[in-house]
Amino acid sequence: MPSHRRPFVLLGLGALLVALATLVTPLWVMRPFRPQGPTELAVALWVLRFGPWLLLGAGLMAVAAVVRAWPGGWWRRIGAVVMLVLTLGAGMLSRINVFEKMFEPMPAPRFAGASESGLPDAAIVMAVRVGEQARAYPVEVMAYHHVLNDVVGDAAIVVTY
Amino acid sequence: MWKRTIQGKTLTFHLAGIHNQNFLMRDEETGSFWQQVSGECVAGPMRGAQLERVHNDELTVARFRAESPGGQVLLGEPGYSDSYERDWEPGIDKLPTVVDTRDSPLPPRALVAGVAVGGKARAYEASRLAAERVILDELGEVPVVLGRAGDACCEHSTAASMARRCCSRLPMASICATRRRGACGTSGAARSRGRRRPRGCV
């Protein structure tokens, strides 16, 4: 019966489409070595910001599709559940910060005296002084991790490279 | 390097995106996105806010040790030594850029010292700075002196005092460049290298 089939198929596919768009849009727009125009960047960042709400909507739609499909027999149940699983899978993948997977953060930085750092004398560091405290961040370390939240003296700073 | 206390909040930043080969950070507290090279909030509840720059010098660890005997050096994370490359710049030099520099006499990844003052920006090729030691210029209405302090004296105070000796009556933006890369400066000095986005003209 098309009148029965259509709502659950549309709901399920719609849910899957929303979850996939949430997953793919930021990754597609923010690929390395390509320029990001202002509009596409705004869209990508909007999707990242409101991703949880989009995914909540997608999840509810997918569940509704299962509920609708349930009285229609096993094939419809299986179809709707597959779309639900795919929707949830895409949703979970979209919550992963790929940038922090590629370049792991340093939540608990460790420091040593300049003589005990193990760096060769010619290694380049970014040095900062706040009051009496001086700290140096080797470029070779920061060029990988990129972002480090630190406190030097009484100043909370973010070291970036 | 930026202060991360702003509008009464101390933010915790994460790497979160790419915008024209410069990375975006996102803070945990508000979920806003911040451009690394400018410290500007580009999206989210704090959009338009501007982080305050923290002055920092790029110098060798030997020089840091001499200047700050009690100073501390960040250690790498255990297990990541393979990810830390000391000599990655030759590789970076070959990668494409997203900024069109066809109008520029310089190649896209030329190392420059950037000066932004009085609403204008100008880039000075590092190799020219190295050759000429001192460059006098005018940016808008502002007289500018650039001094190259070699490996032996690459620190802001040296460049500033040198500049003051040369032209003591001028308001100035001073910059010194090390042998390897742009180093320290005032008045919004920006470097353009690697993943950073050139700011101003090149």
Side-chain angles (χ1 to χ4, degrees):
Chain A
M1 285 187 290
S3 60
H4 252 228
R5 188 165 63 228
R6 204 170 292 148
F8 103 80
V9 170
L10 284 181
L11 269 175
L13 284 179
L16 188 52
L17 207 64
V18 170
L20 285 174
T22 308
L23 170 65
V24 170
T25 307
L27 297 178
W28 180 259
V29 170
M30 295 197 283
R31 302 199 304 288
F33 307 117
R34 71 176 287 274
Q36 281 82 29
T39 308
E40 58 179 337
L41 183 73
V43 169
L45 298 183
W46 187 90
V47 169
L48 281 179
R49 284 179 65 202
F50 296 101
W53 294 104
L54 294 172
L55 294 173
L56 181 65
L60 290 176
M61 280 165 71
V63 169
V66 172
V67 171
R68 288 216 175 206
W70 210 256
W74 280 109
W75 288 114
R76 289 183 187 186
R77 289 176 191 176
I78 290 168
V81 169
V82 165
M83 286 191 286
L84 173 64
V85 169
L86 290 175
T87 300
L88 295 179
M92 284 196 292
L93 286 177
S94 75
R95 300 313 298 154
I96 295 172
N97 181 348
V98 290
F99 299 100
E100 286 200 332
K101 288 285 165 208
M102 287 163 66
F103 305 104
E104 292 281 337
M106 296 181 99
R110 298 171 308 126
F111 293 85
S115 312
E116 291 92 53
S117 68
L119 292 169
D121 281 353
I124 302 289
V125 297
M126 299 193 287
V128 66
R129 176 186 290 278
V130 180
E132 291 298 300
Q133 195 172 14
R135 274 190 170 169
Y137 306 89
V139 164
E140 63 191 60
V141 175
M142 291 311 303
Y144 169 73
H145 296 287
H146 291 309
V147 176
L148 172 65
N149 295 281
D150 198 11
V151 177
V152 182
D154 59 355
I157 65 169
V158 56
V159 184
T160 63
Y161 195 91
Chain B
M1 221 179 272
W2 306 98
K3 280 200 177 144
R4 56 189 175 92
T5 304
I6 182 170
Q7 296 174 13
K9 291 187 275 282
T10 296
L11 306 178
T12 311
F13 289 100
H14 293 267
L15 190 64
I18 298 175
H19 178 204
N20 292 341
Q21 288 191 330
N22 178 236
F23 67 78
L24 294 171
M25 307 184 283
R26 191 175 193 191
D27 70 78
E28 275 177 26
E29 288 73 14
T30 74
S32 302
F33 290 89
W34 306 76
Q35 189 78 49
Q36 182 261 344
V37 76
S38 65
E40 186 190 352
C41 183
V42 295
M46 296 194 75
R47 186 177 173 175
Q50 173 69 50
L51 296 175
E52 188 185 334
R53 193 182 289 274
V54 175
H55 175 81
N56 65 95
D57 294 332
E58 272 188 44
L59 67 179
T60 64
V61 72
R63 179 140 193 86
F64 174 73
R65 192 166 54 225
E67 288 182 357
S68 307
Q72 295 174 308
V73 177
L74 174 71
L75 297 175
E77 292 284 287
Y80 283 89
S81 53
D82 287 351
S83 302
Y84 303 150
E85 291 177 64
R86 204 155 283 155
D87 201 23
W88 48 272
E89 294 201 357
I92 291 278
D93 279 345
K94 295 190 190 92
L95 296 175
T97 58
V98 298
V99 177
D100 188 355
T101 55
R102 275 174 300 184
D103 290 345
S104 161
L106 301 181
R109 289 189 182 272
L111 178 58
V112 299
V115 180
V117 62
K120 301 216 169 183
R122 191 165 286 168
Y124 301 85
E125 203 175 4
S127 58
R128 225 188 113 185
L129 259 178
E132 299 189 19
R133 305 280 302 181
V134 173
I135 295 176
L136 298 174
D137 199 3
E138 228 168 74
L139 206 48
E141 297 289 298
V142 183
V144 172
V145 55
L146 286 97
R148 184 240 183 207
D151 288 346
C153 53
C154 177
E155 56 189 306
H156 168 61
S157 56
T158 311
S161 59
M162 184 169 75
R164 243 177 266 124
R165 275 202 302 278
C166 294
C167 28
S168 56
R169 294 200 188 144
L170 301 180
M172 62 177 177
S174 65
I175 271 199
C176 69
T178 58
R179 184 173 48 80
R180 282 196 60 207
R181 64 181 84 217
C184 47
T186 57
S187 301
R191 293 170 302 125
S192 81
R193 181 74 169 187
R195 296 182 185 86
R196 293 168 187 242
R197 193 160 54 110
R199 202 168 62 163
C201 55
V202 176

